[in-house]
Structure formats: C-alpha cells, structure tokens
C-alpha cells in the first residue's frame, strides 16, 4: 500500500520576455508556495510538487517531489516560447510519474496543473499537445495569462480554466502564488470530493487576478 | 523579443522604467527589485503537525432542526437527534482525536453487530464535523448494516449521510420481505426524503450529497441466509464466509484517480446507479459482513485482501500492526470489549500517511464464526 499523492505541476514560461522582475517573482512565488504548504499537515502528507519550464526547450527543473523534500529551483529566463515542448513534457511527466487506480493499487488524486505564460507560442506543435490535454483531461489545469502580451486564446485551447493576471509586478505574482497555495490546500482538504463529477472548485482569485469567461 | 526589450518590459511592468530607459538602467532597477523580492522572504518554517479542534459550527442548528422536524418521522427524528447528542458530546474534558465520533452496538442470539464513524484528522484539524454515518440493526430474523460518506464539497453532507443511513436502515429493518425491490425501494425513499429535507431547509439537494452502502440478511426456511446488497458511490462491502473466503458483491464507483465518485444520493442518477449495483444472494456459510467508507478502504487497499486480517484483529485484538499502515496501536478485541462501539472507534485510529479522511466501519459477526477465525500475524498475511 503506497501513499496516494496530490500531484501539483507548475509549468512556467521562462522565455526571454520573463527576464528580470517576472522570473525573480516566479522563483520567489515558488518559494512562498513551498513555505505555505509546509504549514498544512495534509499538504505535507499528500502534495507533491514539480516544476517544468519552457523557453527554447522544455525541462523538468524539479521532478514530482514531496513538500518536505522540495528544493525551489533557480530559474533563468531566455530564448523563445516553445509552449508545445512544455506541454509535451507535461504529458510525458504524467505518463512517467503518476499512478492510476488499478485493482491492486489506489491511484493518485487527479493532478493540479498551473500554467504561467506571458506571451504567445513561437513553436508550431503546441496545438497538437493542447488537443491531447483537452481530450484526455488528465488533470485539473489552470492557465494563467500574465500581463497584456499573453495569448488568452492559446491558453483557452488547453483548458477552460484561464485566469488573467493583468500586472506582472512582484505583488501580483505573490498574490497568484497565494492563490496556488490556497488551491492546493483546498484540494488537499477536500480530496474526498474533488472529482465528484463536477468541475474543480477553486478558491476566489485575489484582487488583480480575474477569471477569463 | 531582445534582452533589452525584455528588460525594458520588466521595468514597465513595475511602472518604474520608461520605454527608452537604457539597458544598464533597467538592469539596475531589476536588480533592486530582485533584492527586494528576496529580502522580504521569511525563513522556512518547521513542517506543521496535526491539531485537534472542536467543530466550529453547530452540527444541526436550531432552524435546521425545525425544518427537518417537519419532514422526518418520529423515529427518524429521534435517531437524528440522538446522533447529534452523541457526536456533540465527548467524554473527556479536552477534545481528543476520537471526540465527536459516533458508534453503536447490537447483539442477538445469532449475531453481533458494531458500527462506528470516527472523525478524520483533516476534519479535526480544521474544526469540522465527521461527515460519515452508520446504521446497524439486528432483529431475531434480520440484520441490517448501512454506511454513508457525505461529500466533502456539500455543506450539509453530515446531515445527508445521517438521514440516508437511517432512512435506508429503518426501511430495510421493517421491509416485509428481503428482496432487491425492497432495497431499491428503501434507497428511493431515502432520495425522496433527502430532497424533502433540502426543500424544508431551503437549500439545494446537492448540499446533502452522500454515498451509501447497504446490506441486509435473514435466514431462510432451509437454513441458508438470503443477503441483499446495494451501493451508490465509493466504499466497500464484503462478505466473509465460514471457510475464510471473502466475496465482494458490488464494485464501488471508482475512477482512474482517487476520490472520483460520479453519483451521490440524492442525484438524479441515484436510482439507475442503485439498480445496477443491487444484488441478492443465498449464502450457506455467512460468517461476517463488513462495510467501510473510503476512509478505511483507501488506507487498506485493496480491501478484500485485507479484510481477513482486519476481521481477525476485531475478534482477537491487535497483536501486530496491519501491513502497510504507518502505525497501529496494540489493543484488545473489539467484539469482546465491554463497549464494542467505543473499542471500534479506537481501532479506527490507525495511522496511514496521507489517509486522514473520516473512517467508518460497520461489521456483523455470526457467533459461530469467532472460533474459526485465526489470530493474524504479518507472516501469514496475503
């Protein structure tokens, strides 16, 4: 009998346009998320974090790791926005890391994925992977359009849950990662009913972050 | 976008740098902002531990009690309020891990039944109520066990699960004959009652959502036992036979991921789900019946494989922790305890990492079965 996990993936845009304050704020936000989750015993026992980045290529900066063992990564922003490679790596990570229920093994909780992007894809393959994610619905995915250059329509092709973070200030990123933390804690607290046939229930977004209808 | 553009954009986002700011100036501003971001961070906290809190809200506020009183029968009302009084009280001065839980125990010449619903650590930590409920009844002719797990996302599911187990349990106890139709009729009655309660409370029926597992059995004229079972949602129901076999009459409503329940009472699909899962059997060697909500099933998955060792612990006491658990206290037998309900609440206090949901177990044991169940030790486990 293994521990059932609540897998939490953060798929972060680290293209050149994220250089400076945005990437530093993302790094700080991940550290803040880690600290917040250490304050919740259910999250400590069940939440597992992974960080995947995409610039010129995607890479899994941190594989799925329990909260107590998690080390926030040092991220660098440069290059293009290879969104498709990020989605491909997310799907690969699902296939490699997640445990689904069988007759012998109780599976993980449905994963939570937060996608952050401040621009438009520069690759041509992303629609294929977006379609796979929409059709397979392997996770509760929340996409965040950061700033006014983010392409909301692209994110809408990955998930119906798209939120808009108008500003890219440290405060806005802090508020967003508090929202991520609250979502993970809420899911941890209600794991018995997260997927009761209805859409995921997210906590109310903080000021400055709006849900895109 | 070039690096210079990126840096300029980063600065603009903070409202500090104009579009024609030089790269060097922009980099300086970014460095200042970065330092501010890092400097503001507090040190890493120590990992949190579990706490126990009394429930914050009333189990059944006065206005809700009045609304339900207009809909429930006298016996249903009496059971609901007895449950309220039992879970609201706790025997010690301080709230502990097993406070605000519920248990019952009945015994006849042939059978002994005990059921307990223990508040999980997650609910105790945040000061919420146990949302599970159980029902057990034995007459000289018939036995009935029902368990239910209120949906965590439904605000009144603690009442929904209690109303459902009592409605189904009492209907099965009083049914003229033990048939599949009787079980379906009992569940339909529960659905109707839950919707009436929601109407009277002026809330949406989905706020009372709960799973349900029910079993009833009685001896037939030829000495065998007729068993009827039904299930809506997750959890597990197994029958233990005198030769040690475990059979599983129905499959729970489980998906690819944990916690994926597709239908609860009183959803519109309840009766189609119930019809698909309802079964009747004639069993010649029924030794025990066990029903668990997912709080127990998930910690002891796959449950049918662990059911024999679990049953052995209830009969003989915990002499060795069950395989796969993080911790389990050694304790005397549940069935021979002075208060089997209380002893079962203690048994439900085992620890398994990540498994902190409410836990409910209802079990009936035929008196002839106890001598045939061997004490369990890890080396002989499945």
């Amino acid at each position: 009998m293994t521990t059932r996990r609540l897998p939490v993936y953060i798929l972060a845009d680290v293209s050149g346009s994220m250089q400076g304050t945005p990437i530093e704020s993302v790094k700080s936000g991940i550290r803040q998320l880690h600290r917040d989750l250490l304050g919740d015993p259910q999250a400590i026992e069940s939440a597992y974090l992974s960080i995947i980045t995409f610039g010129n290529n995607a890479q899994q900066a941190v594989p799925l790791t329990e909260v107590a063992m998690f080390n926030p990564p040092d991220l660098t922003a440069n290059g293009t926005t290879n969104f498709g490679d990020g989605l491909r790596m997310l799907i690969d990570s699902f296939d490699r890391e997640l445990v689904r229920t069988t007759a012998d093994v109780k599976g993980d909780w449905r994963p939570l994925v937060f996608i952050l992007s401040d621009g438009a894809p520069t690759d041509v393959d992303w629609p294929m992977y977006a379609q796979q994610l929409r059709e397979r619905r392997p996770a509760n995915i929340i996409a965040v359009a950061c700033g006014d250059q983010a392409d909301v329509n692209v994110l809408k092709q990955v998930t119906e849950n798209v939120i808009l973070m108008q500003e890219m200030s440290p405060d806005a990123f802090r508020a967003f990662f508090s929202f991520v933390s609250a979502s993970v804690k809420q899911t941890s607290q209600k794991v018995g009913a997260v997927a009761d046939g209805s859409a995921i229930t997210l906590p109310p977004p903080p000021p400055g972050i709006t849900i895109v209808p | 976008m070039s690096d210079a553009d990126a840096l300029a954009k980063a600065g603009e986002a903070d409202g500090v740098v104009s579009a024609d700011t030089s790269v060097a100036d922009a980099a300086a501003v970014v460095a200042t902002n970065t330092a501010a971001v890092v400097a503001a961070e507090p040190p890493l906290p120590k990992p949190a531990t579990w706490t126990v809190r009394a429930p914050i809200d009333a189990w059944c506020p006065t206005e809700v009690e009045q609304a339900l009183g207009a809909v429930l029968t006298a016996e249903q009302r009496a059971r609901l309020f007895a449950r309220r009084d039992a879970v609201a009280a706790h025997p010690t001065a301080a709230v502990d891990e097993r406070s605000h839980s519920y248990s019952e125990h009945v015994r006849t010449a042939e059978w002994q039944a005990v059921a307990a619903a223990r508040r999980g650590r997650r609910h105790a930590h945040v000061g919420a109520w146990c949302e599970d409920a159980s029902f057990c009844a034995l007459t000289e002719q018939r036995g009935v066990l029902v368990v239910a797990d209120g949906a965590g996302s439904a605000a009144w599911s603690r009442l929904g699960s209690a109303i459902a187990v009592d409605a189904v349990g009492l209907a099965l106890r009083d049914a003229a004959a033990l048939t599949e139709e009787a079980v379906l009729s009992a569940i339909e009655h529960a659905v109707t009652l839950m919707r009436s309660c929601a109407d009277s409370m002026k809330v949406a029926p989905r706020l009372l959502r709960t799973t349900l597992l029910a079993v009833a059995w009685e001896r037939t004229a030829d000495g065998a036992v007729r068993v009827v079972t039904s299930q809506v949602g997750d959890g597990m129901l197994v029958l233990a036979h005198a030769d040690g076999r475990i059979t599983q009459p129905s499959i729970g409503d489980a998906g690819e991921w944990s916690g994926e329940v597709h239908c609860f009472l009183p959803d519109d699909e309840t009766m189609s789900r119930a019809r698909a899962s309802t079964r009747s059997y004639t069993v010649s060697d029924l030794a025990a019946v066990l029903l668990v909500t997912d709080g127990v099933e998930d910690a002891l998955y796959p449950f049918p494989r662990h059911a024999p060792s679990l049953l052995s612990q209830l009969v003989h006491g915990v002499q060795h922790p069950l395989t796969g658990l993080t911790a389990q206290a050694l304790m005397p037998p549940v069935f021979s305890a002075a208060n089997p309900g209380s002893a079962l609440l203690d048994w439900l206090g085992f620890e398994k990492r990540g498994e902190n949901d409410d836990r409910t177990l209802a079990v009936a044991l035929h008196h002839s079965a106890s001598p045939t169940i061997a004490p369990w030790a890890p080396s002989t486990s499945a």
Side-chain angles (χ1 to χ4, degrees):
Chain A
M1 290 182 287
T2 53
T3 300
R4 289 185 295 165
R5 305 169 301 177
L6 171 61
V8 181
Y9 287 89
I10 294 175
L11 181 59
D13 183 342
V14 293
S15 61
S17 57
M18 290 287 286
Q19 277 183 1
T21 301
I23 194 67
E24 293 305 325
S25 299
V26 168
K27 286 157 62 178
S28 174
I30 291 170
R31 290 192 291 269
Q32 172 200 328
L33 170 67
H34 181 219
R35 277 194 304 275
D36 280 358
L37 295 182
L38 282 171
D40 179 12
Q42 182 64 29
I44 291 171
E45 290 193 13
S46 60
Y48 281 61
L49 300 178
S50 172
I51 311 294
I52 297 174
T53 60
F54 59 96
N56 283 333
N57 301 105
Q59 85 174 72
Q60 191 173 26
V62 182
L64 206 54
T65 304
E66 66 178 289
V67 168
M69 304 297 288
F70 180 80
N71 280 317
D74 189 21
L75 305 177
T76 312
N78 56 51
T80 57
T81 308
N82 194 339
F83 188 48
D85 206 38
L87 296 181
R88 178 196 59 75
M89 179 146 285
L90 181 66
I91 293 168
D92 284 354
S93 302
F94 287 166
D95 292 341
R96 252 184 307 109
E97 297 183 317
L98 301 184
V99 178
R100 290 168 168 82
T101 298
T102 66
D104 293 320
V105 179
K106 197 74 182 177
D108 291 324
W109 303 104
R110 187 180 288 270
L112 267 178
V113 176
F114 295 89
I115 302 175
L116 289 105
S117 182
D118 75 333
T122 52
D123 67 301
V124 294
D125 290 336
W126 70 265
M128 177 175 69
Y129 297 113
Q131 187 182 357
Q132 278 187 38
L133 284 167
R134 278 195 77 91
E135 286 176 0
R136 288 168 56 183
R137 301 178 70 84
N140 290 311
I141 301 177
I142 299 99
V144 191
C146 307
D148 52 11
Q149 298 297 310
D151 192 332
V152 170
N153 292 327
V154 166
L155 298 176
K156 274 281 182 189
Q157 291 191 50
V158 179
T159 174
E160 62 271 28
N161 302 313
V162 177
I163 58 179
L164 181 61
M165 190 171 84
Q166 199 73 51
E167 291 187 15
M168 292 176 69
S169 64
D171 282 349
F173 276 103
R174 243 191 309 276
F176 166 70
F177 278 98
S178 291
F179 169 75
V180 173
S181 171
S183 303
V184 174
K185 286 180 188 172
Q186 178 166 306
T187 308
S188 295
Q189 292 296 338
K190 293 190 169 185
V191 280
V194 167
D196 60 3
S198 47
I200 183 174
T201 306
L202 295 172
I209 294 178
T210 52
I211 294 173
V212 180
Chain B
M1 179 182 284
S2 69
D3 285 354
D5 289 343
L7 286 167
K9 184 182 166 193
E12 280 173 358
D14 290 343
V16 175
V17 188
S18 64
D20 59 356
T21 303
S22 70
V23 171
D25 289 347
V29 171
V30 166
T32 306
N33 284 342
T34 301
V37 166
V38 173
E41 288 176 11
L44 212 58
K46 285 171 69 174
T49 53
W50 293 104
T51 59
V52 178
R53 292 177 194 164
I56 296 162
D57 301 322
W59 191 76
C60 184
T62 308
E63 64 275 18
V64 173
E65 215 172 275
Q66 287 166 350
L68 296 178
V71 177
L72 301 176
T73 65
E75 187 172 16
Q76 287 165 345
R77 223 171 20 242
R79 283 193 63 91
L80 189 78
F81 296 158
R83 194 184 301 272
R84 172 203 60 195
D85 295 343
V87 297
H90 50 89
T92 55
V95 177
D96 63 22
E97 285 212 346
R98 50 165 281 173
S99 299
H100 307 292
S101 300
Y102 178 79
S103 67
E104 53 187 332
H105 170 244
V106 283
R107 189 183 178 98
T108 62
E110 269 200 275
W111 290 88
Q112 185 178 190
V114 55
R118 177 172 167 134
R119 187 166 70 137
R121 276 181 159 178
R122 281 192 291 116
H123 283 150
H125 185 68
V126 298
W129 291 100
C130 175
E131 290 164 345
D132 282 7
S134 61
F135 173 100
C136 67
L138 293 176
T139 66
E140 291 307 321
Q141 292 76 36
R142 187 175 292 176
V144 180
L145 298 177
V146 189
V147 300
D149 174 4
S153 54
W156 295 105
S157 66
R158 61 182 181 274
L159 296 180
S161 61
I163 291 164
V165 295
D166 287 346
V168 171
L170 293 172
L172 286 173
R173 184 197 66 185
D174 299 337
L178 216 45
T179 60
E180 291 183 22
E181 290 70 33
V183 179
L184 290 170
S185 167
I187 294 174
E188 195 157 30
H189 165 61
V191 169
T192 305
L193 183 64
M194 289 172 75
R195 288 177 182 165
S196 300
C197 288
D199 274 353
S200 189
M201 291 165 65
K202 297 184 170 49
V203 299
R206 63 180 292 117
L207 294 188
L208 276 72
R209 290 173 111 192
T210 184
T211 67
L212 185 102
L213 288 99
V215 59
W217 66 98
E218 66 184 2
R219 194 161 292 284
T220 59
D222 61 3
V225 176
R226 185 200 323 279
V227 184
V228 291
T229 65
S230 192
Q231 174 167 5
V232 177
D234 58 9
M236 181 66 72
L237 188 168
V238 297
L239 308 179
H241 300 263
D243 59 4
R245 282 180 305 119
I246 295 288
T247 54
Q248 182 187 340
S250 61
I251 304 293
D253 182 11
E256 177 179 32
W257 306 108
S258 278
E260 304 226 326
V261 175
H262 302 103
C263 176
F264 294 91
L265 273 72
D267 294 354
D268 290 343
E269 306 79 22
T270 299
M271 292 317 297
S272 60
R273 294 272 178 177
R275 268 188 286 277
S277 74
T278 299
R279 301 278 185 279
S280 64
Y281 305 83
T282 300
V283 182
S284 59
D285 60 348
L286 187 64
V289 182
L290 293 103
L291 281 73
V292 291
T293 56
D294 65 348
V296 176
E297 185 205 358
D298 293 344
L300 297 171
Y301 191 90
F303 187 74
R305 197 176 296 167
H306 293 278
S309 44
L310 184 164
L311 193 56
S312 173
Q313 285 195 341
L314 301 181
V315 171
H316 297 285
V318 179
Q319 297 161 10
H320 308 276
L322 287 178
T323 309
L325 298 183
T326 308
Q328 187 180 28
L330 305 186
M331 60 184 72
V334 166
F335 279 113
S336 54
N339 184 341
S342 177
L344 184 56
L345 281 177
D346 285 337
W347 184 89
L348 288 168
F350 60 78
E351 291 182 32
K352 172 87 189 286
R353 180 182 166 86
E355 304 295 344
N356 301 299
D357 197 4
D358 299 334
R359 294 174 181 163
T360 296
L361 167 61
V363 54
L365 181 72
H366 194 268
H367 293 320
S368 67
S370 293
T372 68
I373 296 170
W376 177 81
S379 58
T380 60
S381 65

